Every structure is written in structure tokens, then in C-alpha cells.
Amino acid sequence: MAAGRAFVGIDAGSTAAKLVRFDGRRVVRSRMVPARDWHSLVGTVRPREAVCTTGYFRRKVPHHLTLTEISAARLGVARSFPDAEVIIDLGGQDTKVTDLRNLTLQMNDRCSAGTGAFLEQAARYFGMSVEGLSRMAERARDRVDINSTCSVFAQSEMISMLERGARREEVAAGLHHALARRIAELVPDAERIVAIGGVARNRSMLFALGAILGRRLRVPPEPQMVNALGAALHAVAHSSQS
Amino acid sequence: MGRRGRRKARVAGITALVPPELIYAAGWRPLDINNWIPGSDARPRSKLCAWTASWREAILGGELKLDALVVVAGGDCHNALADGQVAARNVGRTHYFFYPFDGDAGYMEGQLRALEGFLGEGLRGERAHDRAMRALEEVAAAKRLGLRLEALRSAGRADPGSTFDALISFSDLEGDPARFGGKVERLIDASRDFRGTEGPGVALIGVPPIYRDFHRACAEAGLRVVFDELPYEFLRLGGHDLRSLARSYSTYTFARPVEFRLGLLKRELSRRKVRGIIHYAQFTCHHLLEDGLLREELDLPMLTVQGDLPGRTPAQVRLRLEAFGELLGAGKGAI
Ligand code: SF4
């Protein structure tokens, strides 16, 4: 590895773009912008920095190396949890589950019912942010059961429950539980499960998912930056190989 | 029967594997009504599985013209059976064909006789005998070539994409076993110039992908397909008379209990030193329900791909393939 050289990981996702600069030992900078502003991240890259991109638009962003977000997650998670068995990447548009013990992948990309977009739709209905919806769910003493697995039907179910007098907090808790149930279907049984991605910052979601799986989920610092970190680490590994 | 006679042969559409040997021997031409679908952009209405709904629509719309339809009613799925019955309304004659779940070769022989009866002429009768024997030999010769090509591909010495395209056509041998055999022979010859493939060897199991460029997408993701489960069945099964055909086709794994299929898979995967498995299923397909069992039993990294409509491999599926390639590469410390 070239001494003093920095390594940049850019995660060009479908909702946000993230950059992590790694100096070979530690993260020296991390930044997140809306997906459409990825150019502003590229503008901060200095000559001689090795750039590895990941995420949905990884090939669009100028790079030396690219890596799928699934492999980037594996590398990024290993830094905080080298003994992780399963990674759940809770993204805005899809959910990916990697079983590191046998390298199997499961993804929920077919419909929004198993992704963060499900909560965004619900939050919009309540006229609040996703964080606000999560805080509201935390205040619930009980939760209603939302049975529809389709996000459109779940929304109608939610509205009719509110009309029948269900408390908003309990409906919010029910929504988090419905999403968690959907995600849990993809997760194999394991002791050491790590959650990453933007939705991993949502405490109500983690609580519901942990309860269904019967495990306490581990969450690295800045879970939404893990893939960008993994990409930067890949650049490091590549430079030491070459 | 000479070429000229064969061109006039009546066409029997088959919804899934039906011994092509017997259809040729009876003087008919089999047509696997699935094989055109990946190359099309079919968008069938009221569909569960796009495979069956596409051929159903094509038959009802008159684009697929058949003299008879043989519907695999036992040993395939109910989507195929239901769509087969709907499509049958636009075909003069329909026959329902059943594989034995328990592998009873006597039952299979009864089914072959029933099919022979339906087609009119079979392996019996003096006039038919010569023609039937020639047809059986032509199919067997083509399958021997197919097995050679398959072995070359497994050893990384033939292109997996064009090999798959040829092997999948062994369900009907493109209407002319002798000509088709020649085509396979040319592919074997062309493999001499093949530069070889790199990357971890993977097996493609399940029903065939509905995407026309799936093998290319695998190669671009650094995955080297060394085994295609269903086409291998097309090659593996055969015979030189009714009894041997019955014995062989009664072992058609897709029609048998999953344990039986697993036995063959385990053998073939270890023989080919497979590093990972791609399990393909249509997203409405009952085979998806077997996914957990296959994962448990086959004990290799497995990527499950769910397809829907025909066309090019979608970006999301490509992402999965690429990630799978990276993950398998990671197993040997590449990243
Ligand atoms: S892919 Fe599945 S659902 Fe479709 S015809 Fe084949 S077995 Fe039936």
C-alpha cells in the first residue's frame, strides 16, 4: 500500500450517495448527499486517491474499481464485527440478506413491501418523517396487526384501522412490525446478525425485527455508511495486492 | 423416411419433456412450445407463469400452429396443465401424458404405448419399423454428440452460452434429429477455437431461465456455468425400444420426488466440482417452495433467481449474479 495514500469509497445508491475517505488506518471523512448530487462527492476526490464505487449507480461514477453493494457490505461489516454471520442491509429501495457462513444471498427487490419505501409511504400519510413515525411507534403500548404483505393494501388496512378508532401510535408500531415480519422471512437463523443501511437507524424497526428473530441485532456506527466504507477497504486491499 | 418425408411430418407440440424418440419414431415432428419464448417479448394476459401463458396465447392466437398437442399432465405443474387445457381448444387433437411419481417403469411403458396409440403409428408394424429404428438411431446419435458437447463445456472447453442454447433444444431436436446432430457437431468443432472461461464453476438448477442472455450475464459476472440441470435431463434420457425408453424416462428427475432429484444433483455437482449453485425459478413456480430444501441438502452457496417475463436479464438479476461471483471469488481470497 502506498504510504500516505488515501482511499475513497463511494456508495452511489438509488436514494443517497455516500463517501468515505480512509487513510489506511481509519476513516478520515464521511459524507452523505441526495443521490442526484453524487457529482459533489466526486469533486472532493484528490489526484492519486484510489476510488472504489459501489451501489446501484456504481458504474456511472468515475472509479478505479467497482464492487457490488453486497460485497461492500461484507467488507464494511467485517471491520466492526469480524465474526458476523448474517448481514441485513436495510435499504430504501431493497433489502439484501447475506449469510456469510455459506455465502448465500436473498433479496427483496420485487416489491416495496419489504423495504424502507414501505415506511416512507406510511410516514407521508401521517405527514411526518420516517424518524417521526419511528418515534411515534416507540410510544405505543400495544400494536395493531397489519396483515397485508402488499404495501398498497397495507396502507388501506392502516387507514381503515385509524377510521375504526385505532391509536396512531399503535398503527405506527403495527407498520414497523409488518415490515419487520416481511424482512424476517429472508433471514436465516443465526446468532450474530448485523443490520446496516439507512433503515438500520430506525429504532422501532430494529426492535420489531429483533423481537421476531429472537435476537439482538448488532448495528455498526453509521450503518448507512458501511457500504462506502467497504468500498474504500476494497480499494486498500486491491492496492496492497497490486 | 427421407428428408422430404420428414418435412411433411405432422407437428406435435409438447408442453414439457415428452420422449422425442417416440414422436419421431411415430413419424411426427415434436415441437417444444417453450423454446421460442426467451427470444420473444411475449406479454401474455392473465398469466401466472409466463412460460405457459405465452404458449397458451400463441396457440389461441394462431401464431403457433400444431397438428396435435401433448400436455404433460403428470410430472409437470398445474399451471402447464391448466394452460394446456385452455390452449387445447385451438388444437385439433390433444393427449395428456403422465410420468410416474414413483418411477414405475411398467406404468411409464403404458404411457408410452398410449402416446404411440395417439400418434397413430409407433415402433410396431413392419412398414413403420424401419423408419422408427432410423429415427431412434438419429436421436441417439445426436444425444451422444450432445453429451460430448456438454462434457467439453463442463471442462471449460466450450462456450456455456451457445452450449446451453443447443442443449435446451434436445427436447425436440429442432424438428430434425439428423440436421440437429450436425449442428451440435459443428459446435464441437468450433470449441477447438474456444479460448476457455475463467471464474468459479457454477451449476444452474431448476427450470430454464426465461431470459435469453442469462448465460452471457453469468459469464459477465465472472461465473462459469458447468452444469445445466434440465438440459442434462434431455440428454441423459433415451432408449432404443419402448422398454428401454420406459426404463430411462421413468427416472426423469423433475417428475420424481425431490429426494430422487437431489441424488442425481449431488452426484453431478460433485463430479463437476461445482463451487456454487444458481437456482432459477419463475416467481409463481412451485419449485420455489423447494428452495429451502435444496439449500439444506446441497450444502453449497446458492443464489436464487426469480424470473417473470421473457426478455433480457434485468439489472437487478445481473446485480445478484455479479455479487454472487464476487462472493464465490471471495471464498478463495480474491477480495
Ligand atoms: S416454470 Fe414452474 S410454474 Fe412455470 S411451467 Fe415450469 S414448473 Fe410450471
Side-chain angles (χ1 to χ4, degrees):
Chain A
M1 187 196 323
R5 195 173 172 198
F7 302 89
V8 173
I10 297 178
D11 175 7
S14 49
T15 48
K18 301 127 199 169
L19 176 144
V20 163
R21 178 169 284 112
F22 189 79
D23 71 0
R25 279 181 312 173
R26 64 193 173 88
V27 173
V28 290
R29 183 188 167 94
S30 66
R31 198 172 155 218
M32 181 161 90
V33 297
R36 62 178 178 279
D37 296 337
W38 60 264
H39 293 96
S40 68
L41 296 181
V42 176
T44 68
V45 175
R46 301 175 201 126
R48 295 196 68 245
E49 283 184 330
V51 179
C52 176
T53 58
T54 186
Y56 192 69
F57 296 113
R58 63 189 177 282
R59 292 192 213 284
K60 260 192 155 179
V61 178
H63 59 267
H64 300 105
L65 290 167
T66 70
L67 191 65
T68 62
E69 49 271 45
I70 297 155
S71 299
R74 192 171 55 79
L75 295 173
V77 162
R79 192 159 166 88
S80 309
F81 301 109
D83 62 348
E85 292 175 321
V86 170
I87 300 172
I88 311 176
D89 187 349
L90 299 160
Q93 303 295 322
D94 58 21
T95 296
K96 306 181 189 80
V97 177
T98 310
D99 188 337
L100 298 170
R101 296 164 300 183
N102 55 10
L103 303 180
T104 55
L105 300 175
Q106 301 266 27
M107 279 169 81
N108 180 342
D109 50 11
R110 182 163 284 284
C111 98
S112 66
T115 73
F118 176 79
L119 292 179
E120 272 165 33
Q121 282 171 21
R124 256 199 307 277
Y125 176 81
F126 284 104
M128 55 174 62
S129 64
V130 177
E131 292 74 28
L133 188 72
S134 170
R135 280 195 298 274
M136 188 159 86
E138 281 182 62
R139 291 197 298 273
R141 295 225 181 99
D142 203 352
R143 63 154 208 272
V144 299
D145 266 333
I146 299 203
N147 292 317
S148 302
T149 46
C150 159
S151 58
V152 177
F153 292 162
Q155 185 124 343
S156 341
E157 205 178 330
M158 165 186 102
I159 294 167
S160 67
M161 278 173 175
L162 288 166
E163 276 173 2
R164 285 206 306 269
R167 295 172 61 90
R168 284 157 57 96
E169 291 80 2
E170 290 170 4
V171 170
L175 286 165
H176 285 85
H177 194 82
L179 173 58
R181 201 176 53 218
R182 183 82 185 207
I183 292 167
E185 286 170 15
L186 304 174
V187 183
D189 189 33
E191 272 180 31
R192 294 180 293 278
I193 304 176
V194 178
I196 62 166
V199 182
R201 290 183 301 177
N202 181 323
R203 287 181 18 161
S204 297
M205 202 33 237
L206 287 182
F207 175 77
L209 190 54
I212 294 170
L213 294 171
R215 304 273 179 220
R216 202 176 63 79
L217 302 180
R218 301 158 180 219
V219 182
E222 295 200 285
Q224 74 285 11
M225 305 303 284
V226 168
N227 291 353
L229 171 63
L233 294 173
H234 183 53
V236 175
H238 201 268
S239 83
S240 59
Q241 270 172 15
S242 54
Chain B
M1 181 174 59
R3 274 289 149 71
R4 237 178 52 218
R6 184 166 294 147
R7 231 176 277 135
K8 278 195 233 137
R10 285 166 298 174
V11 176
I14 52 175
T15 61
L17 182 66
V18 175
E21 290 87 350
L22 194 65
I23 302 176
Y24 281 116
W28 286 63
R29 206 151 57 83
L31 176 71
D32 185 331
I33 56 176
N34 296 285
N35 286 352
W36 62 278
I37 295 169
S40 76
D41 288 309
R43 293 292 176 269
R45 287 170 296 126
S46 66
K47 74 164 183 64
L48 286 178
C49 173
W51 280 116
T52 65
S54 298
W55 53 246
R56 178 203 63 212
E57 295 283 286
I59 292 173
L60 291 178
E63 294 116 54
L64 257 185
K65 289 195 177 34
L66 306 171
D67 298 302
L69 179 64
V70 183
V71 177
V72 176
D76 197 21
C77 75
H78 273 72
N79 286 347
L81 176 56
D83 275 330
Q85 289 176 81
V86 177
R89 301 164 75 95
N90 214 23
V91 183
R93 303 170 59 206
T94 305
H95 179 75
Y96 294 93
F97 185 79
F98 296 80
Y99 283 100
F101 186 64
D102 61 0
D104 181 343
Y107 176 90
M108 187 83 258
E109 194 175 330
Q111 281 298 308
L112 297 183
R113 284 195 194 287
L115 175 62
E116 196 183 28
F118 170 75
L119 295 171
E121 281 179 282
L123 306 181
R124 291 160 297 170
E126 220 162 272
R127 205 168 54 83
H129 186 264
D130 283 356
R131 178 203 57 213
M133 288 303 119
R134 197 162 34 246
L136 286 174
E137 183 37 44
E138 283 177 356
V139 174
K143 287 193 175 181
R144 281 194 294 274
L145 289 167
L147 284 166
R148 259 176 64 199
L149 179 63
E150 203 268 346
L152 284 170
R153 185 279 323 269
S154 294
R157 287 164 49 208
D159 173 55
S162 42
T163 301
F164 173 81
D165 290 343
L167 301 189
I168 197 73
S169 297
F170 269 92
S171 54
D172 62 8
L173 299 99
E174 295 184 349
D176 186 335
R179 191 169 42 195
F180 183 65
K183 182 171 162 181
V184 175
E185 202 158 21
R186 284 193 292 284
L187 281 172
I188 293 173
D189 291 344
S191 73
R192 281 197 208 101
D193 302 327
F194 183 63
R195 286 191 326 249
T197 44
E198 289 192 357
V202 296
L204 176 60
I205 68 169
V207 301
I210 203 158
Y211 307 125
R212 53 178 159 267
D213 59 350
F214 191 77
H215 281 72
R216 185 166 318 139
C218 288
E220 283 166 8
L223 298 165
R224 192 164 56 85
V225 177
V226 295
F227 180 63
D228 290 289
E229 185 188 11
L230 188 67
Y232 185 65
E233 289 296 282
F234 296 171
L235 289 177
R236 185 178 71 82
L237 307 174
H240 49 83
D241 57 20
L242 218 53
R243 184 146 301 161
S244 59
L245 283 171
R247 256 203 317 274
S248 179
Y249 278 89
S250 63
T251 69
Y252 175 40
T253 52
F254 275 75
R256 298 288 304 275
V258 71
E259 287 81 17
F260 183 83
R261 181 175 158 210
L262 278 166
L264 184 122
L265 277 175
K266 283 180 183 166
R267 248 192 340 270
E268 293 303 324
L269 301 192
S270 91
R271 188 158 79 84
R272 292 152 205 268
K273 301 192 175 56
V274 161
R275 297 254 314 275
I277 300 170
I278 301 169
H279 180 207
Y280 179 89
Q282 288 291 95
F283 91 99
T284 51
C285 178
H286 69 280
H287 284 301
L288 262 186
L289 303 175
E290 296 160 347
D291 192 71
L293 202 71
L294 295 172
R295 280 172 186 273
E296 237 168 67
E297 287 288 325
L298 295 176
D299 201 28
L300 277 167
M302 188 185 288
L303 174 73
T304 305
V305 175
Q306 298 180 31
D308 187 9
L309 291 162
R312 303 179 81 80
T313 308
Q316 256 114 329
V317 173
R318 284 177 174 272
L319 168 68
R320 287 156 170 251
L321 292 172
E322 208 177 316
F324 196 52
E326 289 171 354
L327 285 169
L328 292 181
K332 60 175 169 49
I335 33 177

